[in-house]
Amino acid sequence: MSTPTIQGFHHITMVSTDAVRTLRFYRDLLGLRMVKQTVNFDDPGAYHLYFGRGAGDPGTLLTFFEWPQTRRGHWGVGGVHHLALGVETPEAQLKWKRRLTDAGVKVSGPLDRGYFTSIYFADPDGQILEIATRGPGYAIDEPADALGSRLVLPPESRLPDGRDEEAIAERSWPEPVPRVTPDMAVFGIHHITGITNDLEQAHDFYAGVLGLPLVKRTLNQDDGRTEHWFWARYDGETVAPRSSWTLFGWPGSDYRARPGAGQTHHVAFRAKDDEEQRAWLDHLRAAGVQVTPVQDRTYFRSIYFRAPDGVLLEIATDGPGFTLDESEEELGRTLQLPARLEPKRPEIEASLQPLPSDPESE
């Protein structure tokens, strides 16, 4: 049986302790559109907020479960270390650094990663975030038609001992950035980076089972020792945007990710439709992967499974989409519930804190 094709990322779901604070950060500061406010279908007393672009385009979606009483999580083996959002240019990135810094958010970088330039910061719950430029891309140090074929050592200038940390810290946009301008627009998920204790086993899974080719083998440029591998949708010539999944290798480590606030709950890849998702279900079962039956999430359908290191993964369909129960213009403005939960709307609404309206829509 041939392996179906991963289309890229669909969404990433993280954990928040305060929906209002999360809304203020991702919508009002980062300028992402809230495309849906609903509840966790498995825990209707908790918000599930979706942020993204357009009408909730796959690959742009950041979603949050609000769990006010949860403990603080921590990255480690079997979890996500950071989420990178993409912008087009270094100039846009510097505007983001200034906007975030002026808002009291601590930002590091910009750091030259070779394949892109990055700044780093954290959301109010501690989730590590990155804003990365689209290019130059993975072909700067090996042929575009032979990505991932060898271990590429980063030059000394990109490692800590070769950096001018003072100059990096001083680089920013010269003027305040009170509004998110069109040139700053985040185009979606740039990459997602996790941690594994066995890169070879991970490669067998992501390349052999999920069909994601290895496109880069290099080292973590913040220590110059830890291997850092990248997988993505790659046709032998180009790497598709919104598809890069990367892992730091900690061989044999038992330092596990701790679920909770400021951590990722799961990462979802795309299936274009129900037929492709059914093909994935059959393929994963044939490969011996324990996978759930199809779950109806109203706006898409989902199957869930775990990678060998324990990270929770999903394959979600592109449709039916977020305009199923409200117009594109009205997306995210009111609480939406699936039909089975509508009879409980009064008690559900009473259990949730009211969300502030979007100042841009007033």
Side-chain angles (χ1 to χ4, degrees):
M1 182 185 299
S2 62
T3 304
T5 301
I6 288 286
Q7 304 293 325
F9 293 117
H10 186 280
H11 66 269
I12 180 172
T13 294
M14 296 165 277
V15 178
S16 158
T17 56
D18 187 324
V20 171
R21 187 175 64 175
T22 296
L23 182 65
R24 295 292 192 200
F25 187 84
Y26 285 91
R27 184 191 67 188
D28 300 345
L29 182 58
L30 292 186
L32 300 177
R33 183 184 192 189
M34 187 165 73
V35 297
K36 190 66 61 178
Q37 55 168 298
T38 184
V39 294
N40 182 342
F41 293 169
D42 299 321
D43 178 16
Y47 272 120
H48 190 182
L49 305 182
Y50 292 74
F51 301 88
R53 291 194 64 182
D57 302 339
T60 74
L61 291 164
L62 316 182
T63 98
F64 292 85
F65 295 144
E66 184 199 32
W67 291 339
Q69 306 305 318
T70 194
R71 65 179 181 175
R72 179 76 173 265
H74 197 281
W75 42 260
V77 172
V80 166
H81 182 268
H82 64 268
L83 159 68
L85 306 174
V87 294
E88 295 292 343
T89 66
E91 292 76 19
Q93 187 180 68
L94 289 178
K95 287 185 177 182
W96 276 115
K97 182 177 179 180
R98 180 61 187 265
R99 178 171 170 80
L100 290 164
T101 302
D102 286 351
V105 178
K106 184 178 179 180
V107 180
S108 62
L111 295 175
D112 177 10
R113 299 310 198 185
Y115 318 114
F116 40 83
T117 301
S118 302
I119 61 172
Y120 299 88
F121 53 102
D123 79 1
D125 283 294
Q127 175 73 56
I128 301 173
L129 300 172
E130 174 182 350
I131 292 179
T133 56
R134 188 183 290 274
Y138 299 121
I140 66 164
D141 51 16
E142 56 187 338
D145 61 356
L147 296 179
S149 59
R150 62 184 180 89
L151 180 65
V152 178
L153 301 180
E156 193 69 28
S157 62
R158 298 210 300 265
L159 300 178
D161 289 345
R163 299 176 192 158
D164 185 339
E165 298 290 356
E166 185 175 340
I168 289 169
E170 289 179 354
R171 285 195 67 202
S172 190
W173 196 250
E175 302 171 350
V177 184
R179 298 173 67 87
V180 179
T181 54
D183 62 305
M184 296 169 64
V186 171
F187 61 72
I189 297 171
H190 186 286
H191 64 271
I192 300 171
T193 295
I195 301 172
T196 189
N197 53 8
D198 191 330
L199 280 169
E200 293 290 351
Q201 183 185 52
H203 178 62
D204 289 343
F205 180 77
Y206 289 106
V209 177
L210 294 189
L212 286 171
L214 187 66
V215 297
K216 189 64 59 181
R217 294 173 57 206
T218 186
L219 301 179
N220 178 355
Q221 296 177 25
D222 291 326
D223 66 17
R225 300 183 305 274
T226 301
E227 289 203 43
H228 189 187
W229 293 16
F230 296 62
W231 296 262
R233 185 179 178 187
Y234 169 56
D235 62 7
E237 296 181 358
T238 59
V239 174
R242 305 173 184 167
S243 73
S244 292
W245 171 252
T246 98
L247 290 173
F248 296 136
W250 290 2
S253 174
D254 60 0
Y255 186 79
R256 305 294 304 182
R258 185 175 74 191
Q263 283 296 290
T264 295
H265 185 271
H266 64 269
V267 174
F269 295 104
R270 290 176 61 192
K272 62 184 178 181
D273 54 28
D274 291 329
E275 182 180 0
E276 186 170 88
Q277 186 183 68
R278 284 193 297 271
W280 272 114
L281 188 61
D282 293 341
H283 172 77
L284 291 168
R285 286 173 172 167
V289 177
Q290 290 189 331
V291 56
T292 68
V294 175
Q295 310 289 310
D296 185 359
R297 300 308 191 192
T298 301
Y299 311 110
F300 46 86
R301 280 167 283 278
S302 303
I303 56 175
Y304 300 89
F305 53 98
R306 292 188 183 273
D309 57 30
V311 66
L312 182 60
L313 302 173
E314 174 184 353
I315 294 177
T317 58
D318 283 356
F322 294 94
T323 57
L324 186 70
D325 51 11
E326 54 188 342
S327 70
E328 184 170 348
E329 294 73 22
E330 298 293 321
L331 284 174
R333 295 188 182 180
T334 57
L335 180 68
Q336 301 298 315
L337 298 175
R340 65 182 177 82
L341 292 179
E342 274 296 343
K344 298 182 178 180
R345 177 178 284 273
E347 60 189 90
I348 289 173
E349 289 183 334
S351 71
L352 302 172
Q353 59 175 326
L355 298 179
S357 59
D358 186 351
E360 295 294 324
S361 66
E362 295 177 347

